[in-house]
Amino acid sequence: MRPEIAIIRIKNLRLRTFIGIKDDEIQNKQDILINAEIHYSAAEARNSDNMDDALNYRTITKKIIELVEHNRFNLLEHLTGQVLNIASDHAWVEFASVEIDKPHALRFADSVSLSLCYSKNNKM
């Protein structure tokens, strides 16, 4: 990894949304847990201390919250893809990954999670 690459990690963002296809999932919001990782070149920010030279993780997080809390999703894949689109939207982003957990989705499991990745070089 190049030394100027910064990694932003948004850890355990706890939100509630409508997710799923069963009647109780359609009628009731559920907890989800979002983890995102965003890689970008921070060469300018390292030397300037100017916010305009860095990705603003607060702005990214607010967009994720807006998406999740004001929409309905049938599939975890679709929700994860939409969050990944936000995480990878800025031109400086070289790589991003998002994992979303849906706690208590299965009877004997802590959660079910889904991960998706974006890479500028090969658009994974």
Side-chain angles (χ1 to χ4, degrees):
M1 182 177 347
R2 298 186 330 258
E4 71 274 9
I5 295 297
I7 301 172
I8 295 172
R9 289 186 177 95
I10 300 168
K11 297 181 180 184
N12 300 324
L13 179 61
R14 290 171 173 82
L15 301 174
R16 294 182 59 73
T17 194
F18 293 100
I19 176 79
I21 58 171
K22 297 188 309 187
D23 285 340
D24 63 314
E25 294 173 323
I26 293 169
Q27 296 173 12
N28 301 300
K29 283 189 172 186
Q30 298 177 67
D31 294 328
I32 61 167
L33 191 63
I34 298 174
N35 285 283
E37 184 172 300
I38 303 165
H39 298 216
Y40 78 101
S41 176
E44 294 292 324
R46 289 177 63 189
N47 296 313
S48 74
D49 203 26
N50 182 340
M51 187 55 225
D52 293 336
D53 295 330
L55 284 184
N56 189 328
Y57 54 82
R58 182 179 300 266
T59 301
I60 294 167
T61 302
K62 284 183 178 182
K63 288 179 182 178
I64 293 170
I65 293 168
E66 177 74 20
L67 169 79
V68 170
E69 291 189 342
H70 294 100
N71 289 284
R72 293 176 173 266
F73 306 92
N74 290 335
L75 300 176
L76 194 53
E77 290 85 350
H78 182 68
L79 170 58
T80 307
Q82 294 296 306
V83 172
L84 182 63
N85 288 344
I86 293 170
S88 61
D89 185 46
H90 198 283
W92 296 347
V93 174
E94 297 184 14
F95 174 85
S97 66
V98 170
E99 179 180 23
I100 299 182
D101 282 83
K102 187 177 171 186
H104 314 296
L106 295 174
R107 184 173 174 195
F108 297 111
D110 291 339
S111 71
V112 170
S113 72
L114 186 98
S115 299
L116 291 173
C117 297
Y118 160 88
S119 177
K120 183 180 273 187
N121 295 335
N122 53 6
K123 307 274 183 173
M124 296 169 70

